[in-house]
Amino acid sequence: MSAEEFLADAESGAVAVDCHDQVLRIAFIYLDEGLWDGNGVFDVVEKLHARGWSFGEGELRFNRTLDIFYLAQLAAAIYRASDQLTGDFPSPADFPTFYAAHAALLHPAAWRAYYTPAFLAHPTTARFYRLPNLGDLPDASSPLGQPRPRPRLPAAAAGAHATKLPRWAHAVARTYRRTRRRRQPSPLPLETLTRLALRTLEATTTACPGAQPYSETQARFWLDYMKLGSPLSGSGSGSAGEEEGEEKEAAWRRPDGFGVLVAQGAVDVFAWEAQYSARLWAASAAVESRGEVVKPDLGLECGWVSGVEWCGEPDGGVGVQAWWRGWDGEVGSEEEVEFLAAVAVEETAGVGVGVGELDFAVRSHLVLGVMQTATVGGEEREVLLEEMERGMVAKGRRIGGDRARKWLREVLAVVEPYVRMWEGVWPGAEETGEVLRRVLVENGQLFARWKVSPLLNEFNFELGVGE
């Protein structure tokens, strides 16, 4: 049966689609065009779900992350099987041989090497696409269009999750710069932000069975690489980062597209090779247990030269290809979300009860204000919401009244179940902070830091200036 006949029979119901391999074949056919147009894997997952097809079973059926993961794996396999210079790509008719050649990426249990069951079953992970928490998607640590050789290192030194710490450090650096850009009386000090970042990274890694271990040496290397604390901290590479001036400022208001930066060659996730030997880098965790921070053991004489070159913007489509292939999630990693939640708790420490206590330039203050509003009802609630709406508009967020009103009510719908237990009585600061942290950790979409597919029927919590 040809690919066209199989798809027609599947879509008409003449063929029952009841196994992983059949869904995979259908997805492969859809990706023949879908991977190079529109929103890539995010378009294709909608086509699968519209027909009632999913790679998951039981509680994992229609799990958005699992389904897009297999589409991303297909995209990686297509990339490996293609010669883009000659236009030689696998066709839908090639599926049997294609599947056999790339079975390690595509078989029904492949996801277990990338995701822990608990993370995959998390309500946020089921609802939004999130990147793996155990390793990198295939080829997602090297720039697209630059066939960089694999690092000259033992696999144990390079690690299966080479993008984890750079991605985390990129989020930390961006967060610090955003706090400096706000019109706050006293943004969080760099030392406080760094402490929160290291603490939450350790907590999330320790709590994740099978996660790749890291050392403080490695974490601090990546924070330095991303220029944490510098006026333009962010991509970590002066010549490979965003352009200076207005273009750079605009880039800082975009979602955290770290995968796009890797695809463009703006970040070399193996940059540590220039300073550390593979032996010392891998062994640093053991030294860290004694409270030491390992100094680099390589100098300029090591002769290391990065094989990564930034392709710039416009980038010939590399950035959008990364999005098409699923290299960026719709909600961030555990370590990113936990860090942002910890920052929010720190930002709201000492904030009293009442709308007058809030700084409307700070997202965490807004969420806290909605939590306070949710503890009351009737006319009092409406009055408080109207006060917050006026405050948001007056703060110059480039947000109109209708948008502010919608934003507040969407946040209210999220936080109300968490504060119902207080029955109208605002608790002490410690309990308030813990519930705020829980709200944000369990609803990372509130940060609006990552690009959500335009096809997904979810509210976008972007706010504009300040973010």
Side-chain angles (χ1 to χ4, degrees):
M1 182 185 298
S2 70
E4 293 78 9
E5 292 171 331
F6 168 74
L7 182 62
D9 286 349
E11 290 181 337
S12 69
V15 169
V17 179
D18 54 10
C19 70
H20 175 88
D21 290 6
Q22 287 177 313
V23 178
L24 195 70
R25 185 180 182 187
I26 293 168
F28 180 63
I29 297 171
Y30 283 159
L31 279 170
D32 185 46
E33 294 182 359
L35 186 57
W36 316 103
D37 193 16
N39 299 285
V41 297
F42 299 98
D43 285 350
V44 175
V45 76
E46 300 298 337
K47 293 181 70 173
L48 292 177
H49 287 181
R51 298 279 182 176
W53 297 325
S54 171
F55 290 101
E57 298 180 354
E59 293 183 354
L60 293 179
R61 186 163 174 79
F62 298 114
N63 181 292
R64 184 170 179 82
T65 293
L66 178 64
D67 286 338
I68 295 181
F69 163 76
Y70 274 107
L71 296 176
Q73 294 291 88
L74 277 168
I78 291 170
Y79 182 62
R80 294 181 175 191
S82 304
D83 186 337
Q84 299 192 55
L85 294 178
T86 64
D88 185 16
F89 298 95
S91 73
D94 300 327
F95 179 75
T97 55
F98 173 86
Y99 188 11
H102 301 283
L105 302 180
L106 304 173
H107 66 84
W111 65 267
R112 295 184 180 277
Y114 295 85
Y115 292 95
T116 58
F119 181 67
L120 195 58
H122 190 282
T124 299
T125 315
R127 182 176 168 187
F128 298 94
Y129 172 56
R130 304 179 80 179
L131 293 173
N133 64 334
L134 293 180
D136 297 320
L137 291 174
D139 305 318
S141 60
S142 295
L144 288 171
Q146 296 182 42
R148 177 177 187 251
R150 294 308 345 168
R152 305 173 297 281
L153 308 168
H161 209 169
T163 65
K164 175 181 178 176
L165 290 182
R167 185 184 295 272
W168 160 82
H170 177 256
V172 175
R174 287 176 66 100
T175 299
Y176 177 70
R177 188 163 188 271
R178 285 177 175 182
T179 65
R180 307 301 294 184
R181 289 179 67 243
R182 296 172 182 154
R183 294 184 290 275
Q184 288 178 257
S186 56
L188 295 185
L190 177 60
E191 295 77 10
T192 300
L193 206 76
T194 303
R195 172 177 55 82
L196 294 175
L198 293 172
R199 189 195 77 199
T200 52
L201 175 65
E202 180 181 14
T204 53
T205 303
T206 303
C208 179
Q212 181 178 321
Y214 79 97
S215 68
E216 187 166 332
T217 293
Q218 296 167 356
R220 287 188 179 274
F221 170 87
W222 285 113
L223 291 176
D224 289 343
Y225 178 87
M226 296 298 171
K227 297 181 172 61
L228 174 63
S230 72
L232 295 176
S233 59
S235 69
S237 174
S239 61
E242 296 97 338
E243 294 295 320
E244 300 286 348
E246 293 184 2
E247 184 175 346
K248 185 160 224 169
E249 289 299 313
W252 279 101
R253 293 194 292 271
R254 299 172 190 165
D256 285 357
F258 183 81
V260 170
L261 293 178
V262 173
Q264 292 175 336
V267 176
D268 185 346
V269 300
F270 297 101
W272 58 268
E273 298 174 42
Q275 298 186 32
Y276 290 89
S277 65
R279 177 196 60 78
L280 187 60
W281 184 258
S284 62
V287 178
E288 296 293 339
S289 65
R290 298 194 296 272
E292 300 178 25
V293 176
V294 179
K295 294 182 180 179
D297 61 342
L298 300 180
L300 295 177
E301 67 276 5
C302 75
W304 182 86
V305 178
S306 174
V308 172
E309 295 182 5
W310 185 48
C311 65
E313 293 188 59
D315 59 10
V318 168
V320 73
Q321 285 184 42
W323 169 250
W324 288 341
R325 297 164 193 268
W327 281 18
D328 279 316
E330 294 175 314
V331 171
S333 63
E334 291 171 299
E335 56 270 14
E336 290 175 282
V337 172
E338 283 280 5
F339 162 69
L340 292 172
V343 169
V345 172
E346 192 77 18
E347 287 176 333
T348 55
V351 176
V353 179
V355 173
E357 295 288 325
L358 303 177
D359 184 339
F360 290 98
V362 185
R363 180 182 293 265
S364 57
H365 281 227
L366 295 176
V367 177
L368 182 68
V370 176
M371 287 172 57
Q372 295 174 351
T373 301
T375 61
V376 300
E379 185 177 347
E380 184 179 0
R381 172 181 290 191
E382 294 304 316
V383 169
L384 291 175
L385 287 172
E386 288 177 7
E387 286 186 46
M388 290 192 66
E389 178 188 325
R390 287 194 295 271
M392 292 174 68
V393 175
K395 198 63 180 183
R397 279 188 170 274
R398 299 178 186 171
I399 185 171
D402 290 344
R403 171 68 182 174
R405 188 177 308 114
K406 178 66 173 173
W407 191 94
L408 290 168
R409 294 193 180 278
E410 290 288 341
V411 176
L412 180 65
V414 172
V415 306
E416 193 165 18
Y418 293 86
V419 303
R420 194 172 291 140
M421 60 185 177
W422 293 336
E423 297 179 343
V425 179
W426 192 243
E430 183 176 350
E431 184 177 353
T432 301
E434 177 52 35
V435 173
L436 174 62
R437 188 200 71 82
R438 184 184 166 200
V439 166
L440 295 172
V441 166
E442 295 180 3
N443 301 275
Q445 71 274 15
L446 291 177
F447 292 111
R449 292 286 287 266
W450 302 277
K451 181 179 178 181
V452 177
S453 168
L455 301 177
L456 188 60
N457 187 26
E458 293 282 352
F459 183 77
N460 188 327
F461 289 94
E462 288 182 0
L463 280 172
V465 176
E467 281 299 347

